[in-house]
């Protein structure tokens, strides 16, 4: 038994200045399948890899619509995400009712940050085990944020979270400069390539295992799923053994997990 | 615990209790009395008028002595009130609080005129639904996304938007004048014409509204922001008075 | 002096259910007390879904509050079921919302016009506390007494010798609605300014606006 002495609860520091429970929660995010987000000058999109526990089971939903201008992708504990998305929907509605204003994206993301932080400081609580990618459009344009169980949140040009997301990040880092002026189709193809990079060698993206969320200036949040995905998978071209992704990103270091 | 020894089981002392700094709990105490709500306004102000013209919206009102009833909220919005003055002060304070919060959130978003109007409308309707109304009729005027904006809300939570809005007795007397001058001409009415119109309407209101005095303020809201004028008076002519017969 | 939390802002609305369409019309005048007209264009009919339109007449603030509440419920229904509410479901839900304020009612006469799940035109009308009924045509509001008998006669062919009944075509329904409102605006001081007609069919909801008497 080599138990860590400092990870029994959330309110105990380790002598190295770490809070292990929070770090474990961050690991929970990595247990989930990958989600990718990208942003152009006019649009923000989400792509997520859906998992199924077997032939007989359905695929777990990864995208959640919050409002006409707001949507999220999740990685980690789905039930925690449900709590957070319910909170987000409530806040979005409050903003509409009270001010007749679509909830500014930063406000909801920082509210989640505040909510998550409480769970990292009080004895007897547990941090959320889910990371979110939040996309939304408000008066200041399209936005893409990542939130994590630690209460941290950051805005990105492009980002990925979840299992093997490092490979997607590498792709995005190589290509993000072209995203700003990309149209929606180009953005989606970039997203699919990034998502493809998170797959294991023998796996392919298909209409069942992925979903796309789009929101833009003058375009309400919309999810593309099932057969509607085929058009975009066709644009992606043959997936093969990851050549597609590798071709445009040079030598992609494969994430080991 | 009760920290006032006077209350510790002492029988009331009729002879000196009323000179005491501590109130007799059994008499006229704000805490023990039943809750009461406003049933009538106390200090009131009379009409507000407002209308849109070429690239701006315009508000104005008759005044109650030196009391200002035009109040800027944020950079592009003016709140004008008729009705109870203390309720107006409360609303000003409430709006200042939310605007301060907006400001320090510092994310590039500030509540615009329609948002402030919606919030105020919700507050008004909510208070009427608690049967504890804010005894006012408000006009919210402003400039938002390249357009003038005017909204009305009153103590019942009744709302409407229009290119001319009036409150109080002005609803009877100023409305026809404003509608005739403004409706259909919102995009062509110039600022000079608008200023003349305000003066003309204010004069009519002063002549016929016995509660008014000849003092008003004028607010102009454009893309450049809010401008509230100093005290103004409409020139009046009472010379006709000497020819009146039959009223002594 | 004591505070009375209601007022009557007037206005009329009507709805006619057709075979494969529904028509809902309302004037846009908002009246105040003592013959005041607050404003000429204050809509009291609102699109709720692609197959349903609401109109509420009476106390305007309650009408607006009711629509807000109903729209919230529609949104939560969409979150929960990933589809929009059907018109009959909406009717039942609105009745529940109205009854929830049974002892401090929303002072509104409500009508819903839309298509049911099979694409047939339906009209529901409600009293302020949620009692409701499906109908083929209905008028509510300050001009209802003038409009309802006209609709009974023109839409339901009441008070006429036996005539052959054929489904009412949309253009006829449209003309009936316009005539109903021009007449009502003549006699009812609280109806006027503009007429908004919502036409709900399989394609969705379309709005047309017409002039009414403005005095």
């Amino acid at each position: 038994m080599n138990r860590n002495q400092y990870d029994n609860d959330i309110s105990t520091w380790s002598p190295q200045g770490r809070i292990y429970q929070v770090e474990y929660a961050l690991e929970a995010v990595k247990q989930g399948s990958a989600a990718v987000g990208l942003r152009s000058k006019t649009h923000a999109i989400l792509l997520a890899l859906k998992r199924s526990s077997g032939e007989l089971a359905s695929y777990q939903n990864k995208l959640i619509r919050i409002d006409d201008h707001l949507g999220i992708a999740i990685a980690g504990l789905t039930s925690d995400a449900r709590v957070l998305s319910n909170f987000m929907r409530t806040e979005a509605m409050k903003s509409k009712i009270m001010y007749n204003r679509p909830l500014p994206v930063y406000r909801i993301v920082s509210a989640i940050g505040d909510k998550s932080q409480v769970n990292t400081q009080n004895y007897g609580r547990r941090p959320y085990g889910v990371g979110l990618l939040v996309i939304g459009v408000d008066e200041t344009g399209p936005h893409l944020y990542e939130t994590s169980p630690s209460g941290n949140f950051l805005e990105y040009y492009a980002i990925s979270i979840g299992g093997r997301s490092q490979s997607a990040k590498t792709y995005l880092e190589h290509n993000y400069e072209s995203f700003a002026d990309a149209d929606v189709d180009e953005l989606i193809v970039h997203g699919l390539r990034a998502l493809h990079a998170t797959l294991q060698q023998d796996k392919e993206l298909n209409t069942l295992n992925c979903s796309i969320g789009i929101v833009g200036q003058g375009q309400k949040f919309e999810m593309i799923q099932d057969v509607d995905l085929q058009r975009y998978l066709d644009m992606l071209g043959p997936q093969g053994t990851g050549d597609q992704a590798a071709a445009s990103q040079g030598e992609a270091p494969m994430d080991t997990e | 615990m009760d920290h006032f020894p006077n209350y510790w089981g002492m029988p009331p002392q009729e002879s000196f209790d009323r000179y005491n700094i501590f109130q007799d709990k059994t008499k006229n105490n704000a805490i023990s009395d039943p809750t009461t709500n406003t049933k009538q306004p106390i200090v009131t102000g009379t009409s507000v008028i407002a209308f849109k013209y070429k690239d701006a919206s315009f508000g104005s009102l008759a005044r109650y002595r030196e009391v200002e009833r035009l109040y800027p909220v944020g950079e592009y919005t003016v709140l004008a009130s008729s009705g109870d003055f203390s309720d107006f002060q409360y609303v000003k304070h409430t709006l200042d609080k939310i605007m301060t919060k907006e400001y320090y959130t510092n994310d590039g978003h500030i509540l615009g005129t329609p948002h402030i109007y919606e919030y105020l409308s919700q507050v008004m309707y909510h208070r009427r639904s608690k049967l504890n109304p804010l005894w006012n009729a408000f006009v919210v005027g402003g400039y938002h996304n390249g357009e003038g904006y005017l909204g009305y809300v009153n103590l019942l939570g009744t709302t409407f938007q229009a290119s001319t809005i009036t409150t109080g007795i002005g609803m009877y007397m100023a409305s026809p004048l404003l509608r005739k001058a403004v409706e259909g001409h919102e995009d062509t009415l110039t600022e000079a014409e608008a200023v003349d119109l305000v003066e003309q309407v204010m004069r009519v209101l002063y002549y016929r509204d016995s509660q008014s005095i000849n003092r008003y303020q004028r607010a102009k809201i454009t893309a450049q922001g809010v401008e509230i004028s100093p005290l103004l008076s409409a020139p009046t002519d009472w010379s006709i008075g000497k020819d009146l017969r039959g009223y002594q | 002096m004591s505070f009375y939390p209601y007022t009557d802002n007037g206005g009329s609305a009507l709805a006619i259910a057709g075979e494969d369409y529904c028509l809902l019309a309302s004037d846009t005048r908002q009246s105040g007390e003592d013959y005041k007209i607050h404003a000429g264009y204050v809509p009291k009919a609102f699109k709720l879904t692609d197959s349903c339109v609401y109109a509420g007449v009476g106390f305007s603030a309650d009408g607006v509050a009711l629509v807000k509440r109903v729209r919230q419920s529609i949104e939560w229904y969409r979150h929960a079921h990933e589809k929009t509410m059907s018109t009959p479901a909406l009717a039942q839900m609105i009745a529940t919302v109205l009854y929830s304020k049974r002892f401090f009612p929303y002072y509104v006469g409500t009508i819903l016009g839309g298509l049911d799940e099979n694409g047939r035109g339906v009209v529901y009308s409600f009293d302020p506390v949620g009692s409701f009924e499906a109908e083929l045509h209905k008028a509510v509001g300050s001009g209802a007494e003038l409009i309802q008998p006209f609709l009974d006669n023109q839409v339901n062919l009441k008070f006429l010798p036996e005539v052959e009944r054929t489904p009412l075509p949309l253009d006829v329904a449209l003309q009936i609605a316009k005539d109903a409102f021009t007449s009502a605006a003549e006699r009812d001081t609280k109806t006027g300014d503009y007429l908004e007609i919502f036409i709900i069919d399989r394609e969705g909801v379309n709005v047309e606006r017409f002039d009414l008497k403005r005095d």
Side-chain angles (χ1 to χ4, degrees), chain B residues 62-68 211-213 215-216 231:
Chain B
R63 304 177 104 236
Y64 174 89
R65 289 266 167 194
E66 306 259 308
V67 177
E68 304 205 358
Q211 303 217 348
S212 71
I213 59 164
R215 281 219 174 100
Y216 68 93
L231 278 173

Side-chain angles (χ1 to χ4, degrees), chain B residues 174-187:
Chain B
S175 284
L177 300 170
L178 286 182
R179 285 179 186 161
K180 194 172 170 189
V182 175
E183 278 182 11
H185 312 295
E186 290 90 346
D187 301 330

Side-chain angles (χ1 to χ4, degrees), chain C residues 43-116:
Chain C
K44 44 189 153 273
F46 305 94
K47 176 182 165 182
L48 292 180
T49 69
D50 283 339
S51 63
C52 189
V53 178
Y54 154 104
V57 294
F59 178 33
S60 139
D62 273 350
V64 170
L66 177 62
V67 170
K68 278 206 163 200
R69 233 175 115 170
V70 167
R71 284 194 168 144
Q72 261 191 89
S73 297
I74 293 172
E75 181 77 353
W76 281 111
Y77 184 99
R78 180 171 168 194
H79 286 324
H81 303 105
E82 292 188 356
K83 63 177 184 184
T84 45
M85 252 173 138
S86 70
T87 306
L90 254 168
Q92 180 57 251
M93 190 267 282
I94 287 173
T96 314
V97 170
L98 287 170
Y99 193 79
S100 73
K101 273 173 67 70
R102 171 61 181 80
F103 298 106
F104 185 19
Y106 286 120
Y107 224 127
V108 267
T110 305
I111 43 171
L112 270 195
L115 302 182
D116 66 11

Side-chain angles (χ1 to χ4, degrees), chain A residues 46-59:
Chain A
L46 292 172
L47 303 95
L49 198 60
K50 294 196 286 190
R51 264 188 205 149
S52 137
S53 62
E55 290 281 299
L56 299 175
S58 63
Y59 286 81

Side-chain angles (χ1 to χ4, degrees), chain A residues 84 87-88 107-117 132 147:
Chain A
L84 286 177
F87 167 72
M88 294 174 81
R107 307 261 168 115
I108 187 58
V109 171
S110 68
I112 289 177
D114 293 349
K115 232 172 129 60
S116 305
Q117 194 279 337
L132 307 180
T147 76

Side-chain angles (χ1 to χ4, degrees), chain A residues 216-235:
Chain A
Q217 271 160 345
Q219 186 181 350
K220 291 176 177 176
F221 183 83
E222 176 194 10
M223 287 197 274
I224 302 171
Q225 275 163 324
D226 304 322
V227 286
D228 297 334
L229 279 169
Q230 196 54 53
R231 178 172 163 252
Y232 298 97
L233 292 172
D234 292 345
M235 284 197 284

Side-chain angles (χ1 to χ4, degrees), chain B residues 38-41 118 122 125 128-129 131 133 135 152 155-162 164 171-172 179 183, chain C residues 1-7 9 30 33-34 36-39 41-42 59-62 65 68 104 106 214:
Chain B
T38 307
K39 287 183 178 171
Q40 61 186 57
E118 184 69 37
Q122 291 295 313
Y125 182 73
R128 92 94 217 189
S129 298
L131 301 181
W135 214 287
Y152 167 98
L155 72 167
L156 289 171
T158 305
T159 55
F160 66 86
Q161 287 151 260
T164 68
M171 232 183 209
Y172 297 90
R179 285 179 186 161
E183 278 182 11
Chain C
M1 197 196 241
S2 110
F3 178 64
Y4 184 66
Y6 294 111
T7 192
N9 300 109
Q30 189 189 80
E33 274 139 27
D34 317 328
K36 275 189 293 222
I37 296 173
H38 280 166
Y41 185 68
V42 186
F59 178 33
S60 139
D62 273 350
K68 278 206 163 200
F104 185 19
Y106 286 120
R214 302 196 58 194

